[in-house]
Amino acid sequence: VQTRFPPEPNGYLHIGHAKAICLDFGIARKYGGTCNLRFDDTNPIKEDVEYVDSIQEDIQWLGFRWENIYYASDYFDQLFEFALWLIDHGHAYIDEQTAEAIAEQKGSPTQPGRESPFRNRPTAESRDLFLRMNSGEFDEGAMTLRAKIDMASPNMHFRDPIIYRIIKTPHHRTGRTWNVYPMYDFAHGQSDYFEGVTHSLCTLEFEVHRPLYDYFIDRLIESPFKTEDNYRTRQTEFNRLNLTYTVMSKRKLLQLVKEHRVNGWDDPRMPTLCGMRRRGYSPESIRNFIDSIGYTKFDALNDVALLEASVREDLNRKATRVSAVLDPVKLVITNYPDGQTEEMEAVNNPENEADGTHTITFSKNLWIERADFMEEAPRKFFRMTPGKEVRLKNAYIVKCTGCTKDAEGNITEIRAEYDADSKSGMPGADRKVKGTLHWVSADHCLKAEVREYDRLFSIENPSADERDFRELLNPESLTVRENCYVERYLAEKKPGDYLQFQRTGYFMLDPDTTEGHLVFNKTVGLKDTWAKKAKA
């Protein structure tokens, strides 16, 4: 078994590509075969080395390794010679019509096309023109090389498709060596054949291209370029990965980047693999999600909540639990000795004892979440309210004694008293209270910026909407909190370390972090709150 993953280096990989990667590399791994990485670099106008590098990085991050790296440009000489052979044997001709004229003559699925006035030009003339096209003698758009197949075929792709066009933009690998470049339908199957690919796995939109794929390979096998030991490559299609509240078009994603509607290809709201990596998704969670939805012959729209559930499930097993207060209000333990501190032991991950523990400093002055206090609370409010007890996680049970407000009625400080005999882990300190709150010491914490993300688009299926997709962007897809506090232990962390802010969600340190300025991205909440919000 030999497969290949053949991306065009004209953008960054997204979650849809991850499905193809998992299949291409997974099939080869399962059957003890090989999978090659091949860049489909046949259009220098859109391609760049930046994308070549990022694609390699993303595949490795996802957990796969290729056997070899190839490029379609490796076969430009062979493809050019094969095109000349097609011309010489009456299978191709040079057309001087515009792209619009050619498209108009192709007819419709119910009406046959009309032959080009250049269809029967002499073979020697087409050969000469093709060589002159490549020498740079003609302008872009002046001529194309078309396969001569069947203008009445019910398959529109058989109606004399263009197989070469003039492009004078320098190529990122071959420079100005070539002035003509093969079309995808012409280069793809031949590249598979040259490499010995046994299973060409493509998404469903290429199903109607498969007869043309087979046609060109059949011609290749008739030509002197046939190799005796190469397998007759077969194409098989599978459904694309589509997600709710997401677009997968590289063209549209590129627009978002160029128009600065997002902060680059790796913006954590983007469906790109580098964006998901920066946001804090794990490669295992993406692979598990793709395994769970499977491969079929039917297009479907998958709920992004399923992907987020997979992320939660995986991060629950590996994320380090830490304390962080995102909307702080001061809590003063009035009967705790001034100047005294204690180091409380915090379990790093209750799902994995081997992850050990770390310490968090407790003191008289703490920060807690503003939403964890209500002066007049309903009966089922089990957090902090005057006269009621709660446990401060890993520390003591405290009873709220009151609060202080400013002139506008905003809570500026909460007061409580602690029970010195209720420290977590002490003998007899296990009396039950209904609420447990997280906290950080006001004098022993670090200030941080926290970026919280929502759906990038405001409607479920933006790709199916007739409006300009940019009108469908969610204006609340990014919320930045600049006055958050986290425990000092987080100064040791780096991008790539999976974290759970207790009672809040999963987070990861962002590369924007600088000395003295921590920046965290919210990966996903502890629970799916979107469905409830969307229903409301």
Side-chain angles (χ1 to χ4, degrees), residues 38-42 70-76 79 173 187 191:
R38 184 177 75 236
F39 291 101
D40 175 33
D41 56 343
T42 58
Y70 296 122
Y71 295 80
S73 55
D74 292 337
Y75 311 114
F76 279 176
L79 291 168
R173 293 186 75 231
S191 298

Side-chain angles (χ1 to χ4, degrees), residues 299-363:
D299 277 324
L301 184 63
N302 299 106
D303 193 338
V304 70
L306 296 175
L307 171 60
E308 293 172 342
S310 180
V311 173
R312 285 189 197 94
E313 182 179 8
D314 187 60
L315 295 189
N316 183 55
R317 294 191 291 263
K318 62 181 57 166
T320 300
R321 274 56 168 175
V322 294
S323 291
V325 178
L326 307 191
D327 185 16
V329 63
K330 182 68 70 68
L331 172 64
V332 179
I333 313 299
T334 55
N335 64 334
Y336 194 82
D338 290 335
Q340 179 173 310
T341 62
E342 295 178 70
E343 296 301 315
M344 305 298 189
E345 187 173 55
V347 174
N348 285 335
N349 189 339
E351 302 294 321
N352 185 4
E353 188 177 335
D355 284 349
T357 62
H358 70 276
T359 59
I360 178 171
T361 303
F362 185 83
S363 67

Side-chain angles (χ1 to χ4, degrees), residues 381-485:
F381 184 78
F382 299 127
R383 286 168 279 174
M384 185 166 284
T385 191
K388 296 289 183 66
E389 288 185 328
V390 295
R391 176 172 289 283
L392 299 179
K393 189 168 180 64
N394 302 314
Y396 296 98
I397 293 174
V398 298
K399 178 186 285 189
C400 180
T401 57
C403 64
T404 302
K405 303 178 185 178
D406 61 17
E408 285 76 38
N410 301 309
I411 307 295
T412 57
E413 183 179 285
I414 303 165
R415 297 182 297 279
E417 294 181 349
Y418 85 116
D419 178 353
D421 296 324
S422 65
K423 185 177 179 180
S424 294
M426 289 177 57
D430 57 349
R431 66 184 172 89
K432 303 298 182 184
V433 292
K434 289 188 174 180
T436 299
L437 309 184
H438 65 280
W439 51 273
V440 295
S441 170
D443 299 320
H444 307 86
C445 64
L446 301 171
K447 197 170 184 180
E449 174 186 319
V450 172
R451 300 169 181 173
E452 297 180 305
Y453 301 98
D454 208 333
R455 306 290 194 261
L456 183 55
F457 289 89
S458 57
I459 68 169
E460 185 175 69
N461 191 1
S463 297
D465 198 285
E466 294 182 356
R467 289 171 287 178
D468 187 314
F469 77 104
R470 291 164 294 190
E471 297 177 18
L472 310 175
L473 289 168
N474 177 10
E476 299 178 353
S477 61
L478 171 61
T479 300
V480 179
R481 297 179 181 269
E482 296 182 340
N483 297 303
C484 307
Y485 295 102

Side-chain angles (χ1 to χ4, degrees), residues 66-116:
W66 49 84
E67 188 74 14
N68 303 286
I69 293 182
Y70 296 122
Y71 295 80
S73 55
D74 292 337
Y75 311 114
F76 279 176
D77 286 302
Q78 292 159 278
L79 291 168
F80 188 80
E81 291 299 322
F82 179 46
L84 287 172
W85 183 89
L86 290 174
I87 294 172
D88 292 341
H89 289 76
H91 298 305
Y93 62 95
I94 296 297
D95 197 325
E96 298 180 45
Q97 298 180 102
T98 65
E100 292 75 19
I102 291 173
E104 190 274 329
Q105 289 170 356
K106 281 204 170 184
S108 70
T110 57
Q111 291 183 323
R114 303 192 312 276
E115 291 187 358
S116 164

